[in-house]
Amino acid sequence: GAAARQRVGSLERVTNILGHIAQQREAAITRGEKDRVTRKLYLMAAQNPDAELWAVDRPPTVRVLDPVTGTARTMVDPNYKNLPYVVMLRVGGKDAAITFNERNPEALRLAQSMKNLDIGDLHAAISLIAKGTRWFASINTQYNPIFGIINFARDLQSGLLNLSTTAIAGKEREVASGVWPALKAIYRAQRGASDGEQNHWQARWLQMQAAGGTTGYRDLFADATERSAALARTLQSFERGQVSRAAHALLDWLSDYNEAMENAVRLAAFDVALGSGLSQERAASLAKNLTVNFNRKGRQSREIGALYAFFNASIQGTARMAQTLTGPLGRKIMLGGVMLGAVNAMLAMAVMGGGDDGDDAWAKIPEFVKEKNLIIPIARTDYLSLPLPLGFHFLPNIGRLSVEMMVGGRDHSPASQLGKLLQVLLDAFNPLGGTQSVSQLVTPTIADPAVALAQNQDWTGRPIYRENHNPLNPQPGMALVKDAATPWAKVMAQALNTISGGTAYQPGAWSPTPDQIDYVIGQLTGGVGREIGKLAQTLTAPFTGDELPAHKVPLLGRLYGSTKGISGESELFYNNIKRLNKIENEYKGRMKAGEDADAYRKQEPLVDQIGLGNQAEAAVSKLRRLRREEQLRADPGWQDRVKDIDQQIEAVMRGVNRAVK
């Protein structure tokens, strides 16, 4: 049919003229680009005729009764262009058609996909949720300064592994050598710069984009009113104030920076593919599918992706990894991955494992850090964590968990290690995210922060805030700071407690902890907000007396870790206290019931540590209260006294951890 309507006059009120013009332009571009794809399919069908699947330029016919002669005759279906199994296209400016076999379910499915008939409108409620989900995904990826670095490291590794199933297999070194110049070229092109050195790579970048080798996201508008509103927002952006301009400039830079990180490996592979004789289109396809192709979707991806931010990315990543592992180098990759994890664990445990003092720094490294990173020890208590490619990371974990099991100990029993491995597999291949609990698993992305706060468990499994372990002795939120918190979170916690009737010593009706407030702000503002918060904590910690754990240092905290200080001991300490409390309940329960408590004592050596655990829990609670009082007093020398108390808390926690070990 015609690409545009002819004017014939109308009595309708003229509205949104600019919006209609923009929509017509976008519709024409979209139609032209879709026609390029359909022409390729038309050529394929013409070269490969198959009556069971398709035919070209054979419009479907219908039997009709001729009113003049009264006899039946066959004629072209006058409505054939609108039939669900007929795909129309333009060849040389004239209509052409691909007719699929309507009795073949797969052929009919392909026709519907080409005509976009398998994509319905989202329900209004889901559409609203989808906007929140998209915002959450954007602030944690596109506008996250840390994401680019970590994602680049993972893409480089997975891209080089995936090359084994492409037409340029064996050219990993050439691709790797081109990544850095490709990264610089994309960044400079995105920022509007150009120079002689980058001309080759910038030309390649333009080629790859034109051939469809990059993934992207496009806004779709329901009608001209929505389109006009978007245009109005764009026009208003030219009148922003200085602060707003600076904020948007930062977001634009982050978007360009992450675009460069996302596509550097793809562009390097595209360049090698072209140099190896592949056509531009095949090279672009190779590059786009080298890592995760976000534009590849299934029938249900749109609806499920509206609820779960990274559903489609996880599905596509798993499918691409499976293709590699079943490819020609699949067995070598699997064996190499398992061996890498085993060797890494043995070396790290040799340096960080329990020494003469019984202090096991390896055991204090959070499990989620060991799951997704290689641990490179740089001191007895300090280490670097190098990101592993997502999906493939399950292989090194098999080696690591096996080594831990062979080392022994109840925490590394076969049953325990099997449970940890199942958790790793669920995390690697679960497209819904939130593997730490069933509720976080099924909860849509936009509701995850509320569920995480209710359970006091973030996506890593770490506690978000320090709970009041004695409900009969309630304390204000300010008294339950876990470690370092942002200045604004402390002010807000104090204000909310005071407004709701609390004091410095007793909680009001609503007395959140600063850690809870920091978590909510971090969830709403994404990577930028979290890094700004970490920067504030890093700068203020020396003056507030708060301990600054390594993971709260901007950027560095993602690649460096330490098991020193309270933060290094506390997670293991509270896990041990819970463990001792369970043992105490079992032991005392058997004694009260007249059962053989001595037999249980012989099989459970930690019964003898119950008293130590109770004393330590009480001591830590008392020391934290003293610490809070010193901070409120704020007289000369209070910071030194706070540091002394912190050292005492750390010593108590370490004593329990060593005794249990």
Side-chain angles (χ1 to χ4, degrees), residues 170-193:
K171 297 191 176 182
E172 288 82 1
R173 184 173 296 178
E174 293 178 44
V175 173
S177 65
V179 168
W180 179 245
L183 176 65
K184 291 192 293 183
I186 298 171
Y187 178 77
R188 290 183 63 79
Q190 291 298 108
R191 302 303 293 169

Side-chain angles (χ1 to χ4, degrees), residues 435-589:
T435 59
Q436 296 301 325
S437 68
V438 175
S439 54
Q440 289 189 36
L441 174 67
V442 300
T443 302
T445 297
I446 61 172
D448 274 343
V451 176
L453 279 172
Q455 295 182 330
N456 190 21
Q457 189 178 62
D458 65 12
W459 68 272
T460 67
R462 271 179 172 165
I464 297 171
Y465 55 92
R466 189 161 63 87
E467 298 182 66
N468 184 4
H469 293 289
N470 185 357
L472 299 178
N473 181 26
Q475 300 179 60
M478 276 298 295
L480 298 171
V481 179
K482 191 155 65 83
D483 34 51
T486 60
W488 47 83
K490 292 179 179 179
V491 170
M492 290 174 66
Q494 189 72 53
L496 290 171
N497 182 59
T498 302
I499 292 171
S500 61
T503 68
Y505 307 101
Q506 61 179 353
W510 186 30
S511 185
T513 73
D515 297 297
Q516 289 173 312
I517 295 173
D518 273 333
Y519 178 78
V520 171
I521 293 174
Q523 292 299 300
L524 295 177
T525 58
V528 173
R530 287 193 291 272
E531 292 307 305
I532 292 174
K534 289 179 182 179
L535 179 62
Q537 294 172 57
T538 302
L539 295 175
T540 58
F543 305 100
T544 60
D546 291 330
E547 181 187 64
L548 182 69
H551 68 269
K552 288 200 172 183
V553 178
L555 180 58
L556 181 65
R558 182 60 186 80
L559 303 171
Y560 164 77
S562 175
T563 61
K564 290 182 288 191
I566 297 175
S567 62
E569 301 283 352
S570 61
E571 186 172 350
L572 184 59
F573 170 76
Y574 285 113
N575 285 338
N576 284 330
I577 292 297
K578 289 178 183 178
R579 183 173 175 180
L580 291 172
N581 286 339
K582 290 179 181 179
I583 292 171
E584 182 179 18
N585 292 336
E586 177 75 20
Y587 182 64
K588 289 184 175 179

Side-chain angles (χ1 to χ4, degrees), residues 364-384:
K364 297 174 188 175
I365 300 175
E367 192 66 23
F368 82 92
V369 174
K370 291 188 278 193
E371 284 177 7
K372 294 185 178 179
N373 301 272
L374 284 180
I375 304 301
I376 310 298
I378 55 177
R380 179 77 167 77
T381 57
D382 301 340
Y383 59 90
L384 297 178

Side-chain angles (χ1 to χ4, degrees), residues 63-110:
R63 297 280 288 172
V64 297
L65 189 66
D66 191 320
V68 177
T69 63
T71 59
R73 65 185 176 87
T74 301
M75 63 175 287
V76 173
D77 188 341
N79 191 42
Y80 82 93
K81 292 183 180 181
N82 299 318
L83 293 175
Y85 54 89
V86 176
V87 175
M88 300 300 300
L89 67 150
R90 284 293 181 92
V91 178
K94 297 181 180 180
D95 285 346
I98 309 172
T99 304
F100 290 84
N101 185 350
E102 63 176 318
R103 293 180 178 83
N104 182 337
E106 292 181 353
L108 186 60
R109 169 83 181 274
L110 177 56

